[in-house]
Amino acid sequence: MLSPTELIAKAEAHKEAGNLTFKQQDWGSAMQDYHFGLLALKSLGEHGMATMLAQDPNLQGREKLTQEQKLQLLTLTKSLRLNISMVLLKQLSKLPADDSTRERKVQRVVEECTAVLKEDKDNVKALFRRASAHFLNKRYDLAQPDIVAANILEPTNKAVLSKLAILKKWEASQGKKQAKVYQNMFK
């Protein structure tokens, strides 16, 4: 059984391997590496550590997670989740609109980003990527709160400003549609 230090190192190695394959645009391999890194870290979570202690009572008192390791665990988990969401967004941008895996991939981006936001509610990357997933499905209503929040946190972020401009056009078109509906109701 690997120690917490070894598991963190293993996860870091998977992250680095994923970064290399990401740069080569090998999305499948990058996804696999990031996923394996996340799996290594999951065994260090509260439940995972309790399981390790139950399986190896000698571990008690020998090597529990230090504050530094807990911080590493949180930081690396957040990074792996954001990397997974980025790979999925890259894959989604290449898929046709009618692809059967599209909705599942969008949902996974949302889940990964939501998990990051539970630990770090002001994470602009997570807000932006979750909104981007909704943009791909033209669900501007779901993307809006995240883009607005990201814009408040980073008002000069060009990618956020670009999505915000799209949202403003969408809002204007929604207002015109509603006006037309009400106009037709009273004819």
Side-chain angles (χ1 to χ4, degrees):
M1 177 172 294
L2 297 177
S3 71
T5 301
E6 292 167 325
L7 286 168
I8 290 170
K10 184 178 179 179
E12 188 66 49
H14 280 296
K15 178 187 166 203
E16 293 306 318
N19 290 348
L20 287 174
T21 53
F22 183 88
K23 287 176 186 171
Q24 297 166 352
Q25 298 183 5
D26 181 354
W27 313 132
S29 295
M31 176 64 87
Q32 186 175 358
D33 284 320
Y34 296 143
H35 179 72
F36 285 147
L38 207 51
L39 286 176
L41 294 179
K42 281 186 178 182
S43 65
L44 288 175
E46 254 180 66
H47 175 71
M49 196 61 183
T51 302
M52 286 173 67
L53 291 172
Q55 291 172 352
D56 185 1
N58 295 329
L59 191 60
Q60 288 183 340
R62 187 177 64 166
E63 190 173 356
K64 294 180 181 178
L65 287 179
T66 64
Q67 284 304 112
E68 182 182 335
Q69 287 172 323
K70 287 178 184 176
L71 182 59
Q72 284 178 305
L73 173 66
L74 287 173
T75 303
L76 193 50
T77 299
K78 182 172 36 174
S79 179
L80 287 164
R81 288 185 180 282
L82 288 170
N83 290 353
I84 287 170
S85 69
M86 189 64 198
V87 169
L88 289 165
L89 287 169
K90 292 288 188 183
Q91 290 175 332
L92 280 162
S93 70
K94 306 289 184 204
L95 289 178
D98 62 347
D99 187 279
S100 63
T101 65
R102 187 176 191 82
E103 189 56 41
R104 197 168 60 247
K105 287 180 188 282
V106 167
Q107 189 55 40
R108 176 90 187 272
V109 172
V110 170
E111 289 168 4
E112 296 296 345
C113 292
T114 300
V116 169
L117 291 165
K118 282 183 182 176
E119 297 295 327
D120 181 6
K121 68 180 175 58
D122 293 336
N123 189 296
V124 174
K125 282 184 182 180
L127 290 165
F128 181 79
R129 290 179 186 169
R130 187 167 68 178
S132 294
H134 292 308
F135 265 85
L136 287 169
N137 275 357
K138 300 192 184 334
R139 292 299 313 268
Y140 304 118
D141 56 322
L142 297 175
Q144 185 178 23
D146 288 341
I147 288 298
V148 169
N151 186 55
I152 290 168
L153 294 166
E154 287 187 14
T156 59
N157 183 314
K158 289 181 182 180
V160 171
L161 290 171
S162 172
K163 296 282 189 205
L164 193 59
I166 294 168
L167 271 178
K168 287 182 180 180
K169 288 179 186 174
W170 172 76
E171 288 172 338
S173 74
Q174 291 302 106
K176 288 177 186 175
K177 284 179 188 175
Q178 276 191 325
K180 201 170 204 172
V181 168
Y182 288 126
Q183 188 179 36
N184 290 336
M185 284 172 80
F186 297 108
K187 280 188 174 183

